[in-house]
Amino acid sequence: MTVRTRVAPSPTGDPHVGTAYIALFNLCFARRYGGSFVLRIEDTDRARSTTQAEATIIESLRWLGLDWDEGPDIGGPHGPYRQSERTEIYRQYADQLLAAGQAFYCFATPEDLDQMRRDQMARGETPKYDGRGLALSAAEVERRLAAGEPYVIRLKVPEDGVCTFQDLLRGEIQIPWSQIDMQVLIKADGMPTYHLANVVDDHLMGISHVIRGEEWINSAPKHQLLYEYFGWDMPVLCHMPLLRNPDKSKLSKRKNPTGINFYRAMGYLPEALLNYLGRMGWSMPKEEEKFSLAEMLEHFDIENVSLGGPVFDTEKLDWLNGRWIRESLDDEAFAQRVSDWVLHSDKLRQIIPLVKDRVEKFSDLVSISSYFLSGIPSLDASQFGQGKLDIENCRQVLQFSTWVVDEIDDWEHQALYEGFAELATAMQVKLRDLLVPLFIAITGRDSAPPLFDSMAILGPDLVRARIRNALSTIGLPSKKQLKRYEKDYRQLLEGKALP
Ligand code: GLU
């Protein structure tokens, strides 16, 4: 068998270290068996996918030193490698399933489905699609299609019995069909869902092994069913253990920086980050902690992956990165890497327009722009609560700011300005006052070069980490407080004033 693996990120938001982790294991597996590794961009969510995010994913995976044999940027015999360019293909396969009675039209509106769920819950049942589309006669379907009613296409799923499938690391897995939803395959906008596009592409691209995160285990029955309906062999499935926060919860940006670009901006070496990701659930034969990609490739064996949730611990990463810096960079290489990091002309060109007006001599530059280079500023609680907002208000504003930041897809000045201006209006606070705690969180001081431009340069992960740092300086909100903030924030978004 020709081994072919793939990583299939969705270009929404910042490239996640989890994507690099999965890419690394797919790459190692393919190389180990002399096979090929493919990058596929899963951009069927048209509202959330951006070309900017795709470019950033490619750039950051390359920065890490990962490379692929086929992909949207380099082409290959199985392209296009961007799902939005393959919609015709998916539609043909959906039609094939419809013709065979393995998929069906559903005309239920979102309101109908909400009502259905409410009724089910009122009866004490677990909410689930009730198969109403299956009950429509062929004539009724024809009539509604001819009338131009919006519809989705759903997968027909057995009602009883158990789905059994194999996982390379976990052996046999069983999931009762009653837990599997009649998945939407084609959405109302005509785009395929992940499930249909993923199965069709894995087949057409000749993928032999699907190595992906364990969060996809529950999708495997739907995928297996699709392979069966199409009469195709299913690739070998291998679900990797999820990366975890030190408290063992799923690694999330709310608790830990998760963006590859955060680690890049902080000045970690790509080979150290890759080394660290390689140690997530896998170990070298002699348990060496520091190893290069070439060494990992030489010894790679997927069977050595252990399923206990690997903890992504930044202290451990710091230690490993320090070793790489000390043991593998001579002074010359060190100087080169520091200049590749931020002390290069492209970065200076971004920073200079923000600071030029404040500089009388070059030596002023260092203190004015130091916050672009430092990781997380050291703050003191007494810096907060001096202006119009007291400490409690600062805590609330900083917490709300983390949510504003989360919602900004297009990370640039204007979007940041609009996000925060909207928050200020909703909170009935002057934008200038609202930004004071944010200034301190981001720059370490209460006045500095323009804030939104600075945030745009720093990037979302570093900004989020600095806001979180400010929150822990003044005291993180308690669980109860956080619940109240969440409620208040939702209320603000709905245009209601706070109590
Ligand atoms: N697009 C999915 C993701 O973003 C891919 C999952 C898979 O590998 O099947 O993770």
Side-chain angles (χ1 to χ4, degrees), residues 6-12 19 22 26 40-43 83 194 198 202 210-213 215-216 223:
R6 68 357 178 230
V7 68
S10 297
T12 55
T19 302
I22 296 295
N26 274 285
R40 181 172 73 225
I41 296 292
E42 299 208 330
D43 57 349
Q83 289 188 328
Y194 155 73
N198 189 271
D202 280 345
V210 167
I211 303 173
R212 62 183 172 193
E215 72 269 35
W216 299 105
H223 297 183

Side-chain angles (χ1 to χ4, degrees), residues 312-344:
F312 190 93
D313 177 353
T314 44
E315 277 179 31
K316 203 81 212 261
L317 173 61
D318 284 355
W319 169 82
L320 190 59
N321 200 59
R323 271 193 68 183
W324 271 92
I325 289 183
R326 287 188 303 276
E327 297 169 19
S328 303
L329 298 185
D330 59 21
D331 293 355
E332 188 54 37
F334 189 107
Q336 184 57 47
R337 293 305 195 87
V338 171
S339 92
D340 291 348
W341 169 54
V342 287
L343 296 179
H344 55 76

Side-chain angles (χ1 to χ4, degrees), residues 45-266:
D45 184 340
R46 299 312 291 150
R48 296 185 55 228
S49 302
T50 65
T51 45
Q52 170 64 40
E54 176 188 315
T56 317
I57 289 176
I58 293 182
E59 226 267 296
S60 51
L61 294 180
R62 290 236 182 266
W63 170 74
L64 277 170
L66 297 169
D67 60 4
W68 40 94
D69 306 293
E70 298 166 33
D73 53 336
I74 50 172
H78 299 274
Y81 294 94
R82 201 175 278 121
Q83 289 188 328
S84 57
E85 292 167 20
R86 301 171 62 84
T87 45
E88 305 272 293
I89 304 177
Y90 311 123
R91 182 68 218 206
Q92 279 168 31
Y93 285 103
D95 287 342
Q96 182 182 324
L97 296 173
L98 283 169
Q102 291 158 333
F104 61 92
Y105 290 99
C106 175
F107 299 89
T109 61
E111 296 75 45
D112 294 339
L113 295 175
D114 277 347
Q115 186 60 46
M116 171 194 82
R117 279 183 220 111
R118 274 198 299 275
D119 293 347
Q120 288 168 333
M121 277 176 348
R123 291 195 299 269
E125 298 165 10
T126 316
K128 184 173 179 222
Y129 179 72
D130 59 4
R132 57 184 60 197
L134 275 170
L136 301 176
S137 68
E140 172 78 358
V141 169
E142 276 311 311
R143 186 187 65 70
R144 296 175 79 158
L145 287 177
E149 279 189 40
Y151 65 83
V152 301
I153 298 175
R154 287 179 180 267
L155 176 69
K156 196 167 162 186
V157 173
E159 273 165 43
D160 313 308
V162 173
C163 172
T164 305
F165 59 94
Q166 299 296 327
D167 179 282
L168 189 62
L169 295 172
R170 297 156 202 265
E172 186 175 288
I173 298 180
Q174 297 199 328
I175 301 182
W177 283 115
S178 59
Q179 285 178 17
I180 309 297
D181 219 15
M182 298 201 192
Q183 180 63 50
V184 173
L185 299 176
I186 299 280
K187 296 179 274 189
D189 66 359
M191 292 300 275
T193 53
Y194 155 73
H195 305 279
L196 177 66
N198 189 271
V199 164
V200 167
D201 284 349
D202 280 345
H203 174 72
L204 296 181
M205 295 182 181
I207 300 302
S208 62
H209 293 76
V210 167
I211 303 173
R212 62 183 172 193
E214 73 181 285
E215 72 269 35
W216 299 105
I217 290 182
N218 286 335
S219 300
K222 297 171 204 172
H223 297 183
Q224 177 160 282
L225 197 58
L226 281 167
Y227 282 104
E228 211 177 287
Y229 285 166
F230 288 128
W232 299 335
D233 287 336
M234 182 159 84
V236 175
L237 297 185
C238 174
H239 292 95
M240 294 289 294
L242 278 185
L243 303 184
R244 307 209 164 253
N245 296 307
D247 68 3
K248 287 280 179 185
S249 56
K250 179 181 161 189
L251 187 68
S252 79
K253 64 182 175 192
R254 304 224 156 178
K255 294 200 175 154
N256 253 312
T258 54
I260 300 172
N261 288 333
F262 168 80
Y263 294 95
R264 187 175 181 177
M266 288 290 284

